[in-house]
Amino acid sequence: MSVLVWGENVHEHRNPEVAAVYPDGMHEAIAAGLREAGAGEVQTATLQDPEHGLTVERLAATEVLVWWGHLAHDDVDDAVVDRVQARVLEGMGLVVLHSAHFSKPFRRLLGTSCSLRWREDGRKERLWVVDPGHPIAAGLGDGFEVPQEEMYGEPFGIPAPDELVFISWFVGGEVFRSGATWRRGAGRIFYFRPGHETFPTYHQAEVRRVIANGVEWARPAGPPFQEPGNVESPPAVGDLVA
Amino acid sequence: MSVLVWGENVHEHRNPEVAAVYPDGMHEAIAAGLREAGAGEVQTATLQDPEHGLTVERLAATEVLVWWGHLAHDDVDDAVVDRVQARVLEGMGLVVLHSAHFSKPFRRLLGTSCSLRWREDGRKERLWVVDPGHPIAAGLGDGFEVPQEEMYGEPFGIPAPDELVFISWFVGGEVFRSGATWRRGAGRIFYFRPGHETFPTYHQAEVRRVIANGVEWARPAGPPFQEPGNVESPPAVGDLVA
Amino acid sequence: MSVLVWGENVHEHRNPEVAAVYPDGMHEAIAAGLREAGAGEVQTATLQDPEHGLTVERLAATEVLVWWGHLAHDDVDDAVVDRVQARVLEGMGLVVLHSAHFSKPFRRLLGTSCSLRWREDGRKERLWVVDPGHPIAAGLGDGFEVPQEEMYGEPFGIPAPDELVFISWFVGGEVFRSGATWRRGAGRIFYFRPGHETFPTYHQAEVRRVIANGVEWARPAGPPFQEPGNVESPPAVGDLVA
Amino acid sequence: MSVLVWGENVHEHRNPEVAAVYPDGMHEAIAAGLREAGAGEVQTATLQDPEHGLTVERLAATEVLVWWGHLAHDDVDDAVVDRVQARVLEGMGLVVLHSAHFSKPFRRLLGTSCSLRWREDGRKERLWVVDPGHPIAAGLGDGFEVPQEEMYGEPFGIPAPDELVFISWFVGGEVFRSGATWRRGAGRIFYFRPGHETFPTYHQAEVRRVIANGVEWARPAGPPFQEPGNVESPPAVGDLVA
């Protein structure tokens, strides 16, 4: 499997607190977790790369794209968003992390606001498995805790997920649909909530396990689906009525 | 609209604490809330009535059935469960409350275990609206609290709901899919979590509002659907291929 | 209820065959069907109106928008598409007809290609009701036929519908998901297949019935949903953990 | 993978026409197709075996159960149906073929009538792929034809499928949701329509491919899910609120 972890890579260079937690960048920590889990060939790309590191060729060679962004959603080129959307529709998996709920590719593919309630309070989050037979929940038991996290609360402005895997509980009284999937075209999308930049969330074993499970789940089932486009069809089965 | 509230009516006669909260029975408190909301003609029936008050005629005249049970699920006659299932499939709405997650009609219609994690702790429950445009959430804003309730926690052994309206937060650290809908045949089913027998939950305005919304949502869209059964079909449209 | 029927209004002025079938424009025929069914106050707007007749004020006053387009999808201003999307998310219903499967608002809200297989053959289409309890199927029995229609075939590039109401059978051997619904934000979307411009489809009683049912189904359940946006939340329920 | 193909094995002994097409029984033809596809260890069992060949031990060792039945649904012991249901909820896959739409395990797990319209006419069926990215559709292109089959028509009395993979077109003018999936508990269920006993359907390459894909798709994602049952939960996370 060929996996590409895309990181916005901005906080890391502006905020020493983030740089301390993720000295090689958040994308490298996420990629390290995937390599550790044996998730195939794992590469990284960032906003600052030419074409954000998401050329036509590279996307064509990518089976699952993992996306983290926050401050610079608007700096992502619309032409690149077009490409990502097209690749998902033909089968590439997409794993969307935390604040990337507001990224252009996620909003484009879902068609809704993707907005939510939030609070930077750095307290405990508990994620409950609500779909114990789902492959993304494999090995997580009833769920797990992240010791310090930003709070995200409902309502989350998404289409009803095809599958809901995790729901989070927050100390301050909120709940959130923390792990959810959608299929779009031939591609699979998994959104996973945790991952505020100032906390070592992507170093935590359970979080890495979920992301690895998600990447495995999102891999294409077959060769790229060549959508017929909107094309006129000959009466190829016209003989059926003969 | 013709609504029938079915109550098991057992706790009320065994436990003075329950009788104090619901002197006329829980079913009458639920019915009173519906009458208050103008939900049409609202009647009640109980386990102790002949045929549990659910004769063929009465079910045929019922548009929405509301069900509360707990101690005596096993005492419900299977022939009556058959009738309830059949009426739901032909269009009768079914609103299932609290411990009736384990009632025979609910389990029969869903086909799964319907089991859950629980704790009688009598602390606060917060219900969040996760689908703000849903008619069952009308008038409830972001959600509401029930001051004292039993805890129900995930995993809840249900098929993925067609629509998820509420998620509950509990002080002890759990979450629960508290308001969920399914369509089965021509009928609509709404499950709503709160309502432990020792607390005055069914006297609370927001809870009554949700149940009234649920009953309104569950009413049949048309006349009873006469399922063709499993019948041989003449080639009535055979001329299509001429 | 306030309904607005939007028509592209281009074929009618270029093709005498279309003008003969729809002398007042397709939008007026669709509107006439809705008025006949008593669907509330029904108005029309076209591509040629200032801002395509879809000003902020008019959309704010519209409860359900019906959309037919084909030749001029690209001429619809993106700012208007933004508005339509925003209004659907806050609760406006949207009924999308025939070739508007490729319209900007539909593609924007669904996030997929919305492409399909097609053939202009003008033969019989049979629509089967696959969800007999659905309000959009009310009064249609097992289904109905349209004597002459363009063929649309699978695969249809849409997200899996929340509800599938009709499937079409075509003489040439194809099938199509002809009536499908999605909820996006607080809004409801209904796609309905028939309606090629050269055939009198929108004069047919059953087709009018489906569109009227769809408009009724799509009306908002409550006042416009004011999405919180992506906003910071105070620990309003912080007392829960005291 | 451990696969068990269950066959009713009645037609084969009563009807020489069926015996001629399936001299070793339909279950053996289905099993042969799976072995040919390399679907792991494939065994068979029939109604006539002690406990229908579905002992507790054997079901515990089965990862995917394939089921064909027609004449003798009522002869299947309810205790065996209980076991099959329980095993599906803990993760065993279930592939349900043709007339087994009316089998006890399928109806039990879905909770609906599962009835349909049908006609024994032995003409052509065309199956269209409506979800080209689905693993069950892998290798099937746009779809395929079965030269001679019984007709099944809508409405099919099932809960809305989680995923719809195939829709069939019949010469006589009907359509049918021919390939559909549901998840129940930790188990996956796939229904596939073709397979009337008098036609050599289970010898056809495309049909065998679909069943092999379905078996692969339905295999458990992890170890058997041990449902907590309906059990009281200690405040294990009570420290969260400290």
Side-chain angles (χ1 to χ4, degrees):
Chain A
M1 180 162 43
S2 171
V3 183
L4 183 59
V5 178
W6 190 91
E8 181 185 274
N9 193 33
V10 173
H11 283 290
E12 296 91 326
H13 298 280
R14 292 190 191 170
N15 184 345
E17 190 185 359
V18 176
V21 179
Y22 296 109
D24 300 320
M26 299 181 74
H27 48 287
E28 287 300 340
I30 295 164
L34 286 168
R35 287 180 194 120
E36 191 180 82
E41 191 194 349
V42 181
Q43 298 187 327
T44 61
T46 67
L47 179 67
Q48 296 78 27
D49 295 339
E51 303 186 47
H52 314 320
L54 301 169
T55 59
V56 170
E57 295 71 23
R58 200 171 195 189
L59 281 173
T62 298
E63 290 182 87
V64 182
L65 177 65
V66 181
W67 192 281
W68 195 100
H70 183 213
L71 284 179
H73 294 316
D74 287 347
D75 296 343
V76 175
D77 195 286
D78 284 337
V80 169
V81 177
D82 291 347
R83 275 178 215 164
V84 170
Q85 179 183 25
R87 267 295 286 149
V88 169
L89 297 182
E90 75 178 22
M92 182 181 72
L94 179 65
V95 174
V96 176
L97 297 176
H98 192 63
S99 43
H101 72 90
F102 236 40
S103 64
K104 286 183 175 179
F106 191 60
R107 298 176 77 180
R108 174 79 69 83
L109 282 156
L110 295 195
T112 56
S113 72
C114 301
S115 68
L116 47 83
R117 172 189 316 269
W118 56 277
R119 184 173 58 247
E120 285 199 40
D121 60 4
R123 288 186 285 172
K124 207 179 278 192
E125 171 180 11
R126 176 152 184 87
L127 294 101
W128 286 93
V129 171
V130 301
D131 188 352
H134 200 286
I136 294 179
L140 278 312
D142 288 335
F144 62 97
E145 292 176 15
V146 181
Q148 282 198 292
E149 257 297 341
E150 186 182 12
M151 183 284 292
Y152 277 10
E154 295 282 344
F156 187 14
I158 49 175
D162 292 345
E163 299 169 319
L164 181 60
V165 185
F166 300 104
I167 296 177
S168 283
W169 178 101
F170 292 94
V171 180
E174 289 89 358
V175 297
F176 194 73
R177 286 170 289 174
S178 272
T181 76
W182 297 264
R183 298 179 63 224
R184 290 296 180 266
R188 294 168 169 230
I189 303 170
F190 172 50
Y191 174 79
F192 186 51
R193 199 212 76 85
H196 188 64
E197 64 273 7
T198 59
F199 304 119
T201 301
Y202 295 124
H203 295 302
Q204 184 174 334
E206 292 95 337
V207 170
R208 289 184 162 197
R209 176 72 190 257
V210 173
I211 297 172
N213 286 348
V215 162
E216 176 63 27
W217 171 86
R219 64 189 302 180
F225 170 56
Q226 302 301 336
E227 194 149 17
N230 210 49
V231 290
E232 183 154 10
S233 178
V237 289
D239 62 306
L240 287 174
V241 300
Chain B
M1 180 162 45
S2 172
V3 183
L4 183 59
V5 178
W6 189 90
E8 181 185 275
N9 194 33
V10 173
H11 283 290
E12 295 92 325
H13 298 281
R14 292 190 191 170
N15 185 347
E17 190 185 358
V18 176
V21 179
Y22 298 109
D24 300 320
M26 299 181 74
H27 49 287
E28 287 300 339
I30 295 164
L34 286 168
R35 290 184 192 115
E36 192 181 81
E41 191 194 350
V42 181
Q43 298 186 328
T44 61
T46 67
L47 178 67
Q48 297 78 26
D49 294 340
E51 303 186 45
H52 314 320
L54 300 169
T55 59
V56 170
E57 297 69 27
R58 201 171 195 189
L59 279 173
T62 298
E63 289 180 270
V64 182
L65 177 66
V66 181
W67 193 283
W68 193 101
H70 182 211
L71 284 179
H73 294 316
D74 287 347
D75 297 343
V76 175
D77 195 285
D78 285 337
V80 170
V81 178
D82 291 347
R83 276 180 214 163
V84 170
Q85 179 183 24
R87 268 293 288 148
V88 169
L89 297 182
E90 75 178 22
M92 182 181 72
L94 180 66
V95 175
V96 176
L97 297 176
H98 191 63
S99 42
H101 72 88
F102 236 41
S103 65
K104 285 183 176 180
F106 189 60
R107 297 176 78 179
R108 173 79 68 85
L109 282 155
L110 295 195
T112 56
S113 71
C114 300
S115 68
L116 47 83
R117 169 188 319 266
W118 56 276
R119 184 173 58 245
E120 284 198 42
D121 59 5
R123 289 186 285 173
K124 206 179 282 191
E125 172 181 9
R126 177 153 183 85
L127 294 101
W128 286 93
V129 172
V130 300
D131 188 352
H134 199 284
I136 295 180
L140 278 312
D142 288 336
F144 61 97
E145 292 177 17
V146 181
Q148 282 198 293
E149 257 298 341
E150 186 182 11
M151 182 282 291
Y152 277 10
E154 296 282 346
F156 187 13
I158 50 175
D162 292 346
E163 299 170 320
L164 181 60
V165 185
F166 299 104
I167 296 177
S168 283
W169 178 101
F170 293 93
V171 179
E174 288 89 0
V175 297
F176 195 73
R177 287 169 290 174
S178 272
T181 76
W182 298 263
R183 298 180 62 224
R184 289 296 179 268
R188 294 167 170 230
I189 303 170
F190 173 51
Y191 175 79
F192 185 51
R193 199 212 75 84
H196 188 62
E197 63 273 7
T198 59
F199 304 119
T201 301
Y202 295 124
H203 296 303
Q204 184 174 333
E206 292 95 336
V207 169
R208 289 183 163 198
R209 175 74 191 257
V210 173
I211 297 173
N213 285 349
V215 163
E216 175 65 27
W217 171 86
R219 65 188 303 180
F225 170 57
Q226 301 302 335
E227 193 148 19
N230 210 50
V231 292
E232 183 153 10
S233 179
V237 290
D239 62 308
L240 287 174
V241 299
Chain C
M1 179 161 46
S2 172
V3 183
L4 183 59
V5 178
W6 189 90
E8 183 185 272
N9 193 32
V10 172
H11 284 289
E12 296 92 325
H13 298 279
R14 293 191 190 169
N15 184 347
E17 189 185 0
V18 177
V21 179
Y22 297 109
D24 300 318
M26 299 180 75
H27 48 287
E28 288 300 339
I30 295 165
L34 287 167
R35 288 184 193 115
E36 190 182 82
E41 190 194 351
V42 181
Q43 299 186 328
T44 61
T46 66
L47 178 68
Q48 297 78 25
D49 295 339
E51 304 186 44
H52 313 321
L54 301 169
T55 60
V56 170
E57 296 70 25
R58 199 170 196 191
L59 280 173
T62 298
E63 288 180 271
V64 182
L65 177 64
V66 181
W67 192 282
W68 196 99
H70 183 212
L71 284 179
H73 294 316
D74 286 348
D75 297 341
V76 175
D77 196 286
D78 285 336
V80 170
V81 178
D82 291 346
R83 275 179 214 164
V84 170
Q85 179 184 26
R87 267 295 285 149
V88 168
L89 297 182
E90 75 178 22
M92 182 180 73
L94 179 66
V95 174
V96 176
L97 297 176
H98 192 62
S99 43
H101 72 88
F102 236 41
S103 65
K104 285 184 176 180
F106 190 61
R107 297 176 77 179
R108 174 79 67 86
L109 282 155
L110 295 194
T112 55
S113 71
C114 300
S115 68
L116 48 82
R117 170 188 318 266
W118 57 276
R119 184 174 57 247
E120 284 198 41
D121 58 4
R123 289 185 285 172
K124 205 179 283 193
E125 171 181 10
R126 176 152 184 88
L127 294 101
W128 286 94
V129 172
V130 300
D131 188 353
H134 200 285
I136 295 179
L140 278 311
D142 288 337
F144 62 97
E145 291 177 16
V146 182
Q148 281 198 294
E149 258 296 341
E150 186 182 11
M151 182 285 291
Y152 277 10
E154 296 281 346
F156 187 13
I158 49 174
D162 293 345
E163 298 169 320
L164 181 60
V165 185
F166 299 104
I167 296 177
S168 283
W169 178 100
F170 292 93
V171 178
E174 289 89 0
V175 298
F176 194 74
R177 287 171 290 174
S178 273
T181 76
W182 298 264
R183 300 180 61 226
R184 290 295 180 266
R188 292 166 172 233
I189 303 170
F190 173 51
Y191 174 79
F192 185 52
R193 199 211 76 84
H196 189 62
E197 65 272 5
T198 59
F199 304 118
T201 302
Y202 295 124
H203 296 301
Q204 184 174 332
E206 293 95 336
V207 169
R208 288 183 164 199
R209 175 74 190 256
V210 172
I211 297 173
N213 286 349
V215 163
E216 175 63 27
W217 171 86
R219 66 188 302 180
F225 171 56
Q226 301 300 336
E227 194 150 18
N230 209 50
V231 291
E232 182 153 11
S233 177
V237 288
D239 63 307
L240 287 175
V241 300
Chain D
M1 181 162 44
S2 171
V3 183
L4 183 59
V5 178
W6 190 91
E8 182 184 273
N9 193 32
V10 173
H11 283 290
E12 295 92 325
H13 299 280
R14 294 191 191 169
N15 185 346
E17 190 186 359
V18 176
V21 179
Y22 297 108
D24 300 319
M26 299 182 74
H27 48 287
E28 288 300 339
I30 296 165
L34 287 167
R35 287 183 195 117
E36 189 182 83
E41 190 193 350
V42 181
Q43 298 186 329
T44 61
T46 67
L47 178 69
Q48 297 78 26
D49 295 340
E51 304 186 46
H52 313 322
L54 301 169
T55 59
V56 170
E57 296 69 27
R58 200 171 195 189
L59 280 172
T62 298
E63 290 181 88
V64 182
L65 177 65
V66 181
W67 193 282
W68 195 100
H70 182 212
L71 284 180
H73 294 316
D74 287 347
D75 297 343
V76 175
D77 195 286
D78 285 336
V80 170
V81 177
D82 291 347
R83 273 178 216 163
V84 170
Q85 179 183 26
R87 268 294 288 150
V88 168
L89 297 182
E90 74 177 24
M92 183 181 73
L94 180 65
V95 174
V96 176
L97 297 176
H98 192 62
S99 43
H101 72 89
F102 235 41
S103 65
K104 286 184 174 179
F106 190 61
R107 297 176 77 179
R108 175 80 68 83
L109 283 155
L110 295 195
T112 56
S113 72
C114 300
S115 68
L116 48 82
R117 170 188 319 268
W118 56 276
R119 184 174 56 248
E120 283 198 43
D121 59 4
R123 288 186 286 173
K124 206 180 279 192
E125 171 180 10
R126 176 152 184 86
L127 294 100
W128 286 94
V129 172
V130 301
D131 188 352
H134 199 285
I136 294 179
L140 278 311
D142 289 336
F144 61 98
E145 292 176 16
V146 182
Q148 281 198 294
E149 257 297 341
E150 186 182 11
M151 183 284 291
Y152 278 11
E154 296 282 344
F156 187 13
I158 49 174
D162 293 345
E163 299 170 319
L164 181 60
V165 185
F166 300 104
I167 296 177
S168 282
W169 178 100
F170 292 94
V171 178
E174 290 88 359
V175 297
F176 195 73
R177 287 170 288 174
S178 273
T181 76
W182 298 264
R183 297 179 64 224
R184 290 296 181 267
R188 294 166 171 232
I189 302 169
F190 172 51
Y191 175 79
F192 185 51
R193 200 212 75 84
H196 189 63
E197 64 273 6
T198 58
F199 305 118
T201 302
Y202 296 124
H203 295 303
Q204 184 174 334
E206 293 95 335
V207 169
R208 289 184 162 197
R209 176 72 190 256
V210 172
I211 297 173
N213 286 348
V215 163
E216 176 64 27
W217 171 86
R219 65 189 301 181
F225 171 56
Q226 301 301 335
E227 195 149 16
N230 210 49
V231 292
E232 183 154 9
S233 178
V237 289
D239 63 307
L240 288 174
V241 300

